[in-house]
Amino acid sequence: MEALAVQALNGLASASSLFLVASGLTVIFGVSRIVNFAHGSLYMLGAYLAWTFVSHGPLAELGGFWGFWGGVLLAALAVGALGAVLEMTVLRRIYHAPELFQLLATFALVLVVQDVALLLWGADDKFGPRAPLLRGSVEILGLRFPRYELFLIAVGPVVLGLLWLLFHRTRFGILLRAATQDREMVSALGVDQRLLFTAVFFLGAALAGLGGALQLPREAVTLHMDMAIIVEAFVVVVIGGLGSLPGAFLAALLIGELHAFGILVFPRITLVLVFLVMAVVLVLRPHGLLGRAPGAPPAGEQSPPLPRPLPRGLALAAAGALAGLLLAAPFLGDYPLILLADFAVFILFAASLHFIMGPGGMASFGHAAYFGAGAYAAALLLRHLAAPMEAGLLLAPFAAGLVGLLFGWFCVRLSGVYAAMLTLAFAQIAWSVAFQWVEVTGGDNGILGVWPSEWARGRLAFFYLSVLLCGAGVLLLRRAIFAPFGLALRAQRDSPLRAEAIGIDGFRIRWLAFAYAAAFAGLAGALFAFGKGSVFPTYLGIPRSVDALLMVLLGGVQTVSGPILGAIAYAGLQEQLARLTELWRLLLGLVILALVLFFPRGLAGALAHWHDGRRERRA
Amino acid sequence: MTFSQTAARGPGRRLLLAGIAAGAIARPAVLRAQANPIRIGEINSYTAQPAFLGPYRNGWLLAQEQVNAAGGIGGRPLETVFRDDAGRPEDAVRLAGELLNAERVALLAGGYLSHVGLALADFARQNRRLYAASEPLTDALVWSKGNRYTFRLRPSTYMQAAMLVEEAAKLPAKRWATVAPNYEYGQSAVKWFRELLKEKRPDVEFVGEQFPALGRIDAGSTVQALERMKPEGIFNVTFSTDLLNFVRQGNTRGLFDGRSVVSMLSGEPEYLEPLGEECPDGWIVTGYPRDDLDNPTHTALRDAYRAKFGDLPRCGSIVGYDTVQAIAAMLRKAASTETEAMVDAFKGIRYQTGYGTGEVEFRALDHQATLGAFVGRTKLEGRRGRMVDWRYADGASYLPGPEQVRAWRPQE
Amino acid sequence: MSTPILEAEGLVKAWGGVRAVDGVSFSLAPGEMLALIGPNGAGKSTCFNMLNGQVRPDAGRVRLAGQDITGLPPRAVWRLGVGRTFQVTATFGSMSVRENVRLALLSHHRRLLGLWRPASHLHTAEAEALLERVGMAAQADRPCAVLAYGDLKRLELAMALAHAPRLLLMDEPTAGMAPAERGALMQQTAAIAREAGIAVLFTEHDMDVVFGHAQRVLVLERGRLIAGGAPEAVRADPRVRQVYLGGGHF
């Protein structure tokens, strides 16, 4: 019994840490609607900076109470300042870009920060000192419990209280709350909106930095902190209801406690617990625990442009390039063929995601689930039934499509970030099944020996096979966009009210579109599996979902050829940079940032725009 | 604010980067002009696991330099092309294709994460090219998924668990709890430890287990959960960040007081050094007592390493160093870079390990090297931990016999 | 009189304790043109939304040509032959005018799940004909995001007509239009309705429109019907005059 009470305290301590990070994220989202993927990086920087301040330099020489706590506060302020600078230099320029486009910029920041932290602080984990006055432990119910954890338990509610005061008792906070509800109104009040946004970023980033800095006496500072926290922080924000501070607090408590007690019963549940909780909460409460349904979109929101085929000249050039590539393939050598086959797979994967994101208007953070479902379907057929590659490639789209039907039934009922996060939850659940069901899936060691049939083993044959299947897939998706189904899909995105009023069942259309896209992602996954000869849980991991998302955003969501350009650009850049330099993440991040700032419509959008401009000048 | 730590590491890091530049970007024209080099393609998770693979690559480069200074292989210098798989097996496979086809390397090497190692091993089997796995620990690599073209250097999960069981069996502890990262390495280590300890000590019982997610341990809750089991002995498989967090919480909460702890890999400088003054006393660990291992071979290596990189070697450095030495020995014997000849030469090849503990053999039976590890106890001295009462556990003594191996390993 | 095309019987809807619609009953004969009027907040829109299924009534029934349609979703009501236009126009912003109408036709022909044949090859002539009927043929290729408000209203009408409806529900069909345009649109609507025998129920603020085109007028106030009948009779009703303060509107 005593042990259980102490376990509950552990849960509270974790909940506090989680809440600090999540609170900053939810404040930023609430006001700016930016999905700040770099929030975990700010958290990590907070921890590293605190480590530096506390163990080096004047504060460290001062030592003792002020040396430590001064360092922690200074780190939080420094990270807050950095957040403000990022807002002013990068994010401010892309507020008017399409939804989620800012995600691309913040992801680029993640890449940059990873390498910068490595350069500044080196690869080794850093272990900070214990906190003055809070070293050691106290006895609670006969068990030793760290003082610092007790302190952390108090920090969460205190910060929540301070934020409540800030939001309810100061003019700044009242303006922020107003901005959360209605951005237009605030500018009507004559408030400098830009200043408000910068201040919000300062606040959010400082909270992230504080969260990181406070981990110093508790956890090692590592280069993996950013990714470890960001997903969990998002889960907390979404479970609580986007933009809701009390919601985030409640969600952090829920996660912290479920985790603390969950491991007593199911020691292996750690991998999937938070996602299970999120899935259950979102299925029951589509806007989180304390979230509210978003109001109607602001009147000023631009409707997406008409999708149209590439201008004739560009289309001809692209067709020519493809024909040239197919003809030249036999002379290319093995490695280019491997690479091009990979590109074909990525193009189909990105195109399938684009189908639901562009025409469908639904973002997915978990599209890798279907890529992986296809890959595993083919691999399991081969391993357990000795079915040949042909059978695997045929079955994969159906298997992935079925998984899409299952997950989609839940996901497409939700909207916006909630829907996207539910797709992420299902993808993580699928991932943990692949990871933990060792007898069937081989666990994290994967399924090996998934090689193509004899005739397709040559690099050239496999390249042609990939181009053929991926080309067919992209063509089918493209036809669907311009066919009645695609029209209906866009219709329910443009105006759900009108779609319903002319007899279109929006749910059904979205659901089928989700499954259709999943099927093609599955085909891409199966091809990829045969290309690599093995299948691993990484195929359905978050990084792969993020890759697809980046490709689509980079190419341009509201263009038909966007995913193709985006996939080539992203995969190509990554491959080239990784071969060129150790610091490829830094370079890739900077290149993406540049693209985001200069081509806010995405690559394909920029291309079409440029083409139109030329035509107009000639006319 | 100063970054004194960084500054101290600066030269090492610059050299390291320069080393990569020499190896990967600009193919040194000098070497090319000299003699046709033998190229090795090395794939590892450099950006995903920089703390462990930096020293590894340094060890590799040191050995390569020594081999080349001694005239290379029949007059041909070794040259290595390094690639970063970012921790993704599918990328590793793509890079393997790139190295073989575009960079024309003679053989593949590397791998740190087990699934990356397995993916490369299967690629090697499928394409009939040689793969010298250096770091991956999974038993499957040489046993259940073993193949003709894959050889592995480092003592595997089974071997390290067996070394620790030998010591654990001598302890009075009867009630054991385990804590391991939730993936194949952690699960296998726990499985072997339980099985082998039960064999030696039928009277022990395992009273519970914890499987925190790799790199994401919730240390407070995990420690409390273990405490609740009231074990007499704890078998720990967590490492790296998880280990640091686990130890700090365990120390504060007194989890280790009056209990025996047996821990995989924790004596390796990679994991011991970051612990600093948190280093617990008296854990039985496998590792590498770098500072006290004073035989001529190792002392020379340690000095050369420090001279070159301004830092002391770690366990990974020895693995990198030994991999090159083993490859060099194999190449001398094969006198060819033709894959089948190299594979035949690799079977049963012997080389001198950088530990200075004598010869290591790659068993023809399962392609596992008999490289061992050091077993000893941790001790906090001043503000840092070290290994004491250590001995070298020769890998050969901890490998299962031929019959068992043949039952596990697919027959060719 | 034959079976009414639409019957509302004792409709009730409360929002948070306030009864927006409180026991409204009326019926509509085939081909009839009926106006539902009342001051702001009288419950006109709520009443409308219950008729086509967008809002579920707390009590009461809605019958379409004798068939109970209470609680059916809007798309099912549409299938049964009820076209609808909105107070604030709702069209598909990413499509051209023709595509908007084409989509309504595709839905009418139950061809929404087609994945291969480009939609641009389907029902083009039919779409042109519909646009011709509402006087929008010249704008068929324009993106509907750039249309003038009156044209959007006409487009909505064309889409509502795509399913050959028996009944049109038009929520403030002329709101936001210039006065001159209003008369033209209503005349057009009335002509189309007469020609095809479509009954029309509309709400409206502009009394010229109401008394110029409605055959019958219902007056709603605070959720209840307070008067109904021929336009002249309603105009003369003292209660109605009282609701519309001073009667200046008349």
Side-chain angles (χ1 to χ4, degrees):
Chain A
M1 195 55 228
E2 289 80 6
L4 289 184
V6 174
Q7 196 69 346
L9 290 180
N10 287 324
L12 288 177
S14 309
S16 266
S17 306
L18 210 46
F19 170 69
L20 281 189
V21 190
S23 63
L25 195 59
T26 207
V27 165
I28 290 180
F29 181 89
V31 175
S32 71
R33 292 283 178 273
I34 283 187
V35 177
N36 182 17
F37 212 75
H39 205 69
S41 307
L42 296 171
Y43 167 82
M44 178 171 80
L45 284 178
Y48 269 113
L49 284 173
W51 178 84
T52 300
F53 293 147
V54 169
S55 13
H56 303 279
L59 276 173
E61 277 156 34
L62 189 66
F65 181 84
W66 289 111
F68 181 85
W69 294 106
V72 166
L73 282 182
L74 195 58
L77 291 177
V79 174
L82 182 68
V85 169
L86 287 178
E87 195 274 338
M88 288 189 284
T89 52
V90 178
L91 296 170
R92 178 175 291 178
R93 294 160 196 271
I94 49 174
Y95 281 134
H96 295 291
E99 200 194 9
L100 286 184
F101 195 71
Q102 296 92 0
L103 188 86
L104 199 55
T106 58
F107 182 77
L109 291 174
V110 170
L111 291 174
V112 171
V113 170
Q114 277 177 341
D115 266 351
V116 168
L118 176 64
L119 286 176
L120 285 180
W121 285 285
D124 282 332
D125 290 352
K126 303 277 180 268
F127 222 172
R130 292 181 180 238
L133 306 185
L134 296 171
R135 293 166 204 276
S137 55
V138 290
E139 195 137 314
I140 296 178
L141 301 172
L143 289 165
R144 275 158 70 180
F145 193 81
R147 284 170 205 271
Y148 192 73
E149 306 275 301
L150 278 181
F151 163 75
L152 271 187
I153 290 174
V155 165
V158 166
V159 168
L160 178 65
L162 288 176
L163 285 173
W164 189 89
L165 286 177
L166 176 74
F167 278 88
H168 290 82
R169 292 283 182 270
T170 67
R171 180 180 147 75
F172 171 71
I174 289 164
L175 284 174
L176 276 190
R177 279 198 302 148
T180 309
Q181 274 150 23
D182 187 350
R183 259 198 267 181
E184 313 300 318
M185 193 185 90
V186 176
S187 37
L189 289 175
V191 174
D192 185 350
Q193 217 187 335
R194 301 205 307 181
L195 200 65
L196 201 61
F197 274 41
T198 308
V200 163
F201 265 86
F202 176 84
L203 177 64
L207 284 169
L210 182 66
L214 284 178
Q215 294 304 308
L216 200 58
R218 187 172 184 249
E219 286 186 3
V221 184
T222 80
L223 293 168
H224 298 289
M225 285 176 97
D226 51 350
M227 286 295 126
I229 198 78
I230 184 63
V231 176
E232 225 155 285
F234 257 112
V235 169
V236 166
V237 166
V238 165
I239 290 180
L242 289 163
S244 163
L245 276 170
F249 188 74
L250 207 59
L253 275 184
L254 184 69
I255 296 269
E257 290 299 339
L258 278 176
H259 194 270
F261 287 104
I263 62 170
L264 295 179
V265 190
F266 308 106
R268 296 181 195 222
I269 200 158
T270 47
L271 290 177
V272 71
L273 183 94
V274 293
F275 300 102
L276 277 177
V277 175
M278 177 162 73
V280 171
V281 168
L282 285 186
V283 166
L284 296 178
R285 292 190 63 97
H287 300 289
L289 292 174
L290 298 183
R292 271 174 304 187
E301 190 123 315
Q302 278 185 338
S303 60
L306 310 189
R308 43 175 196 178
L310 269 184
R312 201 168 178 75
L314 287 176
L316 277 177
L322 180 64
L325 191 63
L326 289 176
L327 288 175
F331 313 101
L332 280 181
D334 276 358
Y335 182 59
L337 289 178
I338 295 173
L339 208 56
L340 288 168
D342 278 4
F343 282 8
V345 166
F346 292 146
I347 287 173
L348 179 57
F349 184 36
S352 71
L353 176 60
H354 169 262
F355 188 70
I356 51 175
M357 268 181 84
M362 310 173 262
S364 167
F365 294 166
H367 204 51
Y370 316 103
F371 186 84
Y376 269 98
L380 289 172
L381 263 189
L382 192 108
R383 173 169 157 177
H384 293 291
L385 299 174
M389 173 188 77
E390 293 80 356
L393 288 178
L394 198 67
L395 185 96
F398 291 99
L402 278 178
V403 177
L405 276 179
L406 177 68
F407 291 173
W409 193 78
F410 297 100
C411 297
V412 304
R413 290 162 191 275
L414 276 52
S415 57
V417 177
Y418 292 103
M421 287 301 282
L422 190 56
T423 61
L424 174 75
F426 281 116
Q428 281 303 96
I429 291 167
W431 173 83
S432 70
V433 168
F435 198 92
Q436 302 218 3
W437 198 8
V438 178
E439 300 76 29
V440 172
T441 62
D444 51 310
N445 276 351
I447 300 174
L448 305 174
V450 190
W451 297 103
S453 296
E454 202 56 48
W455 61 269
R457 278 196 193 171
R459 298 287 174 214
L460 188 65
F462 194 78
F463 163 75
Y464 281 129
L465 177 70
S466 302
V467 171
L468 180 75
L469 289 181
C470 293
V474 170
L475 180 71
L476 280 168
L477 284 166
R478 196 186 159 81
R479 294 287 302 211
I481 290 179
F482 291 103
F485 186 68
L487 225 52
L489 191 58
R490 275 158 56 201
Q492 61 77 35
R493 174 198 66 188
D494 285 2
S495 170
L497 187 66
R498 168 50 68 193
E500 180 78 22
I502 57 167
I504 296 175
D505 184 345
F507 166 75
R508 188 152 150 257
I509 295 285
R510 280 199 302 277
W511 187 33
L512 292 175
F514 197 87
Y516 195 61
F520 287 102
L523 177 62
L527 260 177
F528 196 63
F530 286 111
K532 302 297 164 209
S534 42
V535 177
F536 299 95
T538 49
Y539 282 34
L540 354 95
I542 295 174
R544 186 146 303 280
S545 292
V546 171
D547 278 356
L549 200 61
L550 295 181
M551 289 172 188
V552 171
L553 291 172
L554 201 56
V557 178
Q558 300 306 347
T559 54
V560 183
S561 44
I564 301 178
L565 280 178
I568 295 175
Y570 182 70
L573 267 176
Q574 194 171 349
E575 196 270 344
Q576 284 296 316
L577 292 177
R579 287 213 286 164
L580 200 69
T581 159
E582 185 91 326
L583 298 175
W584 61 268
R585 291 180 301 192
L586 178 66
L587 281 183
L588 183 63
L590 292 176
V591 171
I592 293 178
L593 266 186
L595 291 175
V596 166
L597 291 179
F598 292 117
F599 306 123
R601 264 176 284 239
L603 294 175
L607 204 62
H609 190 65
W610 167 79
H611 188 269
D612 288 356
R614 261 179 26 145
R615 218 168 41 183
E616 267 162 35
R617 275 197 299 280
R618 256 182 294 166
Chain B
M1 98 180 87
T2 60
F3 296 104
S4 65
Q5 195 84 353
T6 319
R9 299 179 45 79
R13 186 158 180 86
R14 256 199 310 283
L15 272 173
L16 185 146
L17 287 174
I20 306 152
I25 305 169
R27 253 168 259 159
V30 195
L31 280 180
R32 293 216 119 183
Q34 264 180 13
N36 183 18
I38 299 177
R39 313 189 82 201
I40 305 171
E42 208 280 345
I43 302 170
N44 241 316
S45 311
Y46 288 107
T47 47
Q49 306 288 339
F52 315 109
L53 293 168
Y56 163 85
R57 182 164 39 197
N58 288 346
W60 181 290
L61 290 171
L62 178 67
Q64 177 173 293
E65 189 184 87
Q66 289 179 1
V67 168
N68 289 345
I73 312 295
R76 295 174 69 185
L78 289 181
E79 185 184 312
T80 310
V81 188
F82 293 100
R83 288 288 183 261
D84 172 27
D85 62 42
R88 292 196 284 216
E90 58 269 32
D91 283 9
V93 169
R94 187 193 79 224
L95 292 167
E98 189 245 347
L99 289 170
L100 289 173
N101 298 308
E103 297 292 341
R104 303 272 157 214
V105 300
L107 72 154
L108 297 169
Y112 173 83
L113 302 165
S114 286
H115 59 329
V116 172
L118 285 169
L120 286 173
D122 199 52
F123 175 89
R125 181 182 66 82
Q126 177 70 12
N127 293 280
R128 296 168 197 280
R129 302 301 293 261
L130 175 59
Y131 167 46
S134 42
E135 297 241 17
L137 287 172
T138 180
D139 301 301
L141 198 63
V142 291
W143 294 339
S144 64
K145 300 271 169 24
N147 68 58
R148 173 173 165 77
Y149 297 93
T150 302
F151 294 79
R152 191 247 310 272
L153 179 92
R154 210 174 166 202
S156 66
T157 312
Y158 176 95
M159 294 160 75
Q160 308 232 14
M163 292 169 193
L164 288 174
V165 162
E166 193 179 14
E167 301 297 322
K170 297 175 193 159
L171 298 169
K174 282 187 188 150
R175 291 169 56 87
W176 285 85
T178 63
V179 53
N182 191 3
Y183 75 114
E184 197 265 354
Y185 163 64
Q187 290 153 9
S188 305
V190 167
K191 186 188 98 177
W192 288 130
F193 186 80
R194 292 175 77 130
E195 235 169 72
L196 297 174
L197 187 61
K198 279 254 180 199
E199 250 170 55
K200 290 204 161 147
R201 284 278 300 272
D203 59 329
V204 303
E205 64 170 325
F206 284 86
V207 295
E209 55 185 24
Q210 276 298 306
F211 280 103
L214 176 62
R216 318 264 297 269
I217 192 171
D218 186 347
S221 302
T222 306
V223 164
Q224 210 66 58
L226 288 169
E227 179 72 54
R228 199 165 158 258
M229 300 168 192
K230 305 271 174 239
E232 292 157 14
I234 295 172
F235 176 58
N236 167 59
V237 195
T238 65
F239 58 95
S240 185
T241 314
D242 291 334
L243 178 71
L244 299 182
N245 298 339
F246 175 64
V247 169
R248 181 164 269 190
Q249 287 285 346
N251 281 343
T252 317
R253 294 166 190 246
L255 175 67
F256 312 128
D257 295 356
R259 295 201 169 106
S260 311
V261 181
V262 170
S263 186
M264 295 270 279
L265 310 185
S266 310
E268 294 182 358
E270 279 89 333
Y271 309 118
L272 204 53
E273 269 173 20
L275 273 171
E277 53 187 333
E278 294 281 343
C279 173
D281 254 336
W283 283 23
I284 297 169
V285 295
T286 57
Y288 165 39
R290 175 191 60 205
D291 302 321
D292 309 315
L293 184 59
D294 293 327
N295 61 58
T297 309
H298 181 256
T299 308
L301 187 154
R302 194 170 55 200
D303 292 345
Y305 189 98
R306 185 163 32 195
K308 190 169 164 71
F309 302 108
D311 202 352
L312 286 164
R314 296 183 173 188
C315 198
S317 314
I318 303 295
V319 174
Y321 184 88
D322 273 21
T323 306
V324 173
Q325 294 296 355
I327 289 172
M330 175 276 292
L331 286 171
R332 282 190 203 102
K333 183 173 157 201
S336 158
T337 53
E338 196 272 317
T339 299
E340 299 299 328
M342 289 194 293
V343 167
D344 290 332
F346 226 142
K347 290 185 182 211
I349 194 75
R350 289 164 171 277
Y351 78 94
Q352 294 285 345
T353 165
Y355 284 144
T357 49
E359 275 199 331
V360 168
E361 179 193 349
F362 276 82
R363 306 206 304 178
L365 176 67
D366 56 5
H367 299 189
Q368 169 67 45
T370 61
L371 181 67
F374 297 85
V375 181
R377 287 176 184 267
T378 54
K379 184 165 172 41
L380 181 64
E381 278 182 6
R383 306 194 65 174
R384 53 192 285 268
R386 63 196 307 164
M387 256 177 100
V388 296
D389 303 332
W390 48 266
R391 65 178 174 88
Y392 179 67
D394 188 346
S397 323
Y398 299 91
L399 278 163
E403 246 163 67
Q404 180 63 72
V405 167
R406 282 197 198 96
W408 283 336
R409 192 174 156 94
Q411 298 304 305
E412 278 154 13
Chain C
M1 211 162 122
S2 58
T3 319
I5 183 72
L6 181 75
E7 270 179 291
E9 191 187 304
L11 289 180
V12 175
K13 183 74 203 180
W15 301 115
V18 180
R19 289 197 159 195
V21 174
D22 191 5
V24 167
S25 303
F26 65 90
S27 66
L28 188 61
E32 193 186 14
M33 204 147 175
L34 176 64
L36 181 65
I37 65 171
N40 277 332
K44 299 188 300 282
S45 286
T46 305
C47 191
F48 241 69
N49 287 342
M50 282 191 282
L51 295 178
N52 84 320
Q54 232 161 281
V55 169
R56 206 187 171 90
D58 296 337
R61 319 297 314 167
V62 181
R63 273 187 285 276
L64 185 70
Q67 184 190 347
D68 190 344
I69 59 165
T70 322
L72 288 184
R75 55 177 185 277
V77 175
W78 187 77
R79 287 262 167 245
L80 293 170
V82 179
R84 161 107 209 228
T85 68
F86 294 97
Q87 189 176 351
V88 178
T89 56
T91 54
F92 305 127
S94 76
M95 301 181 200
S96 70
V97 168
R98 186 187 290 110
E99 277 178 314
N100 268 270
V101 178
R102 195 197 316 274
L103 195 55
L105 286 165
L106 285 166
S107 178
H108 166 65
H109 293 285
R110 294 182 175 275
R111 298 182 70 169
L112 288 173
L113 297 186
L115 287 167
W116 182 254
R117 278 193 68 188
S120 55
H121 296 177
L122 301 170
H123 308 304
T124 307
E126 244 176 298
E128 300 289 336
L130 275 173
L131 288 172
E132 193 73 49
R133 260 168 98 186
V134 300
M136 287 284 293
Q139 312 215 48
D141 287 317
R142 299 184 70 195
C144 83
V146 304
L147 288 189
Y149 202 67
D151 289 341
L152 282 174
K153 291 271 182 188
R154 267 194 275 274
L155 173 58
E156 278 205 311
L157 179 60
M159 291 169 82
L161 292 172
H163 192 48
R166 294 181 277 179
L167 169 66
L168 270 179
L169 300 176
M170 303 176 80
D171 200 354
E172 304 207 9
T174 68
M177 293 170 81
E181 268 188 311
R182 295 179 183 178
L185 178 79
M186 283 316 285
Q187 240 146 34
Q188 213 169 14
T189 311
I192 291 169
R194 228 181 357 261
E195 202 179 303
I198 304 171
V200 179
L201 173 64
F202 67 102
T203 66
E204 188 53 64
H205 272 297
D206 183 329
M207 290 305 139
D208 291 340
V209 168
V210 171
F211 292 99
H213 296 94
Q215 291 160 352
R216 199 151 59 90
V217 179
L218 299 173
V219 185
L220 200 60
E221 198 228 357
R222 292 191 195 164
R224 290 166 185 272
L225 283 180
I226 56 165
E232 290 317 311
V234 167
R235 201 198 290 255
D237 192 311
R239 279 199 297 173
V240 177
R241 300 189 79 91
Q242 199 183 350
V243 167
Y244 283 89
L245 270 175
H249 290 77
F250 293 89

